[in-house]
């Protein structure tokens, strides 16, 4: 279990993370989404023990991440940009990881490299962004992590490599009971991959739930009104758009309750329609401004 309790982090006087709490069960995949500058990368660096907290705590199975080297020894971290020693060859980075991580499995690295086909004698500075991301993923999967933290892990990857990576992450959870935290702007990928999700805005968590509950909680209706309705007194409505007499209404509430209220407002027809995770993110983020 990863337990993030009332975490706060400042940069000088700027509060980058504001009293964030998340519980992530062992063997699950948790997504972290938000606009640029929402605090996702800062929170990830707190979770991985890179940054010292200004308030709150982060523990994995009861042990503090920042203070316990044994926790970090079994934690993988794939950053959005990977800055390994630029003049080192891949095989030298492989030796380095073997030296610093007690459970590093070099055989697993070579098995993974049968898929990604990186030349071991090539220098890091000669690798493309996508190749560097592949290298980072292989290295971190090979240290047999209990926790794997990923910041935009499919950035720079082509469609085939993306599918390979996502399949690897799913097998890592199902076969090894690894816990994964993943931040990404590719919400379609997260929708298929994650068990639960946190939406961040300005350093705070504005929504947090399982994917299924989030999709049932934030609902979209298509309603027909003969005359323009006044919906301002329905507090749970996040967004309203209309084309002529057809109104598209996004609400954070029980769907039957909203449907009844719209009918009382004079709607001749009310129909609930499906929403993607990307739509939910767009409307909930704008609705919380």
């Amino acid at each position: 279990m990863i337990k993030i309790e009332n975490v706060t982090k400042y940069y000088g006087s700027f509060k980058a993370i504001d009293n964030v709490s998340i519980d992530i069960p062992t063997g699950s995949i948790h997504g972290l989404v938000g606009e640029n500058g929402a605090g996702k990368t800062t929170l990830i660096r707190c979770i991985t023990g890179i940054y010292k907290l200004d308030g709150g705590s982060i523990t994995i199975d009861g042990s503090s991440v920042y203070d316990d080297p044994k926790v970090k020894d079994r934690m993988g971290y794939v950053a959005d940009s990977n800055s390994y020693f630029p003049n080192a060859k891949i095989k030298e980075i492989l030796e380095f990881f073997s030296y610093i991580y007690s459970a590093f499995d070099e055989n697993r690295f070579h098995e993974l490299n049968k898929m990604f086909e990186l030349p071991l004698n090539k220098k890091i500075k000669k690798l493309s962004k996508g190749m560097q991301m592949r290298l980072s993923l292989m290295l971190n999967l090979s240290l047999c992590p209990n926790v794997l933290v990923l910041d935009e892990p499919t950035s720079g990857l082509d469609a085939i490599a993306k599918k390979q990576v996502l399949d690897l992450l799913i097998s890592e959870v199902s076969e090894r009971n690894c816990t994964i935290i993943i931040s990404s702007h590719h919400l379609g990928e997260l929708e298929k991959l994650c068990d639960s999700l946190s939406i961040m805005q300005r350093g705070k968590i504005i929504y947090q739930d399982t994917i299924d509950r989030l999709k049932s909680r934030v609902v979209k209706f298509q309603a027909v009104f003969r005359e323009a309705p006044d919906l301002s007194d329905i507090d749970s409505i996040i967004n309203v758009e209309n084309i002529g007499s057809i109104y598209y209404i996004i609400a954070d509430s029980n769907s039957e309750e909203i449907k009844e209220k719209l009918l009382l407002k004079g709607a001749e027809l009310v129909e609930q329609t499906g929403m993607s995770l990307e739509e939910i993110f767009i409307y909930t983020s704008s609705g919380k401004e």
Side-chain angles (χ1 to χ4, degrees):
M1 163 77 79
I2 301 173
K3 199 165 188 65
I4 301 167
E5 290 188 285
N6 307 119
V7 166
T8 299
K9 178 63 185 174
Y10 284 90
Y11 295 129
S13 61
F14 174 69
K15 187 183 284 187
I17 303 296
D18 187 358
N19 198 39
V20 165
S21 295
I22 310 172
D23 286 348
I24 305 170
T26 299
S28 66
I29 303 178
H30 187 83
L32 196 59
V33 301
E35 298 172 335
N36 291 335
K40 304 184 301 297
T41 296
T42 298
L43 181 58
I44 279 174
R45 290 175 180 172
C46 292
I47 292 169
T48 52
I50 296 171
Y51 289 166
K52 189 173 184 179
L53 307 180
D54 293 313
S57 64
I58 299 176
T59 58
I60 297 177
D61 296 332
S63 297
S64 169
V65 177
Y66 188 81
D67 296 321
D68 194 338
K70 290 180 181 178
V71 174
K72 293 181 182 178
D73 186 54
R74 297 302 298 274
M75 175 184 284
Y77 172 40
V78 178
D80 57 343
S81 58
N82 299 287
S83 303
Y84 297 120
F85 307 110
N87 287 310
K89 295 178 180 179
I90 291 176
K91 64 181 182 181
E92 293 170 335
I93 297 295
L94 185 57
E95 290 174 8
F96 177 69
F97 265 67
S98 298
Y99 177 74
I100 62 173
Y101 288 101
S102 63
F104 190 84
D105 186 346
E106 193 169 335
N107 290 329
R108 189 175 191 210
F109 180 91
H110 292 301
E111 282 298 315
L112 291 170
N113 202 29
K114 289 178 182 177
M115 180 191 306
F116 291 120
E117 299 180 327
L118 296 184
L120 298 184
N121 283 315
K122 196 161 189 173
K123 289 189 175 182
I124 302 299
K125 65 182 180 182
K126 298 291 185 180
L127 300 177
S128 67
K129 182 179 180 180
M131 293 171 77
Q132 288 192 31
M133 186 59 75
R134 289 181 179 90
L135 174 61
S136 184
L137 284 160
M138 286 193 294
L139 289 168
N140 283 279
L141 286 169
S142 299
L143 61 89
C144 303
N146 295 328
V147 174
L148 183 60
V149 184
L150 308 141
D151 196 355
E152 298 291 345
T154 59
S155 176
L157 300 182
D158 57 49
I160 294 173
K162 280 184 183 181
K163 185 180 185 310
Q164 291 171 331
V165 167
L166 297 179
D167 288 346
L168 278 171
L169 297 181
I170 291 169
S171 67
E172 193 72 6
V173 172
S174 62
E175 294 174 14
R176 296 192 54 258
N177 207 34
C178 179
T179 307
I180 295 178
I181 300 173
I182 178 169
S183 170
S184 177
H185 286 101
H186 301 286
L187 300 188
E189 293 175 1
L190 294 187
E191 188 170 358
K192 297 173 185 175
L193 190 67
C194 294
D195 301 295
S196 57
L197 186 83
S198 294
I199 299 177
M200 292 191 71
Q201 186 180 81
R202 297 177 184 173
K204 295 183 178 182
I205 301 291
I206 59 170
Y207 280 87
Q208 182 181 309
D209 217 327
T210 66
I211 297 291
D212 290 339
R213 281 203 296 261
L214 189 59
K215 292 181 76 173
S216 64
R217 172 181 169 183
V218 182
V219 291
K220 181 179 183 179
F221 291 97
Q222 184 174 290
V224 177
F225 291 89
R226 281 187 182 275
E227 297 180 3
D230 178 12
L231 305 176
S232 60
D233 60 340
I234 304 179
D235 294 335
S236 55
I237 289 180
I238 297 171
N239 185 271
V240 178
E241 298 173 5
N242 74 292
I243 301 173
S245 62
I246 302 175
Y247 284 72
Y248 301 94
I249 299 157
I250 312 296
D252 177 6
S253 183
N254 177 279
S255 57
E256 289 302 317
E257 179 184 309
I258 291 293
K259 185 174 181 178
E260 286 181 22
K261 288 181 178 180
L262 293 176
L263 290 169
L264 287 172
K265 290 285 185 179
E268 295 186 348
L269 173 69
V270 180
E271 183 180 54
Q272 185 174 341
T273 61
M275 289 184 73
S276 67
L277 184 58
E278 185 168 355
E279 286 181 297
I280 291 172
F281 170 67
I282 290 169
Y283 288 116
T284 54
S285 295
S286 60
K288 290 285 184 178
E289 288 289 347

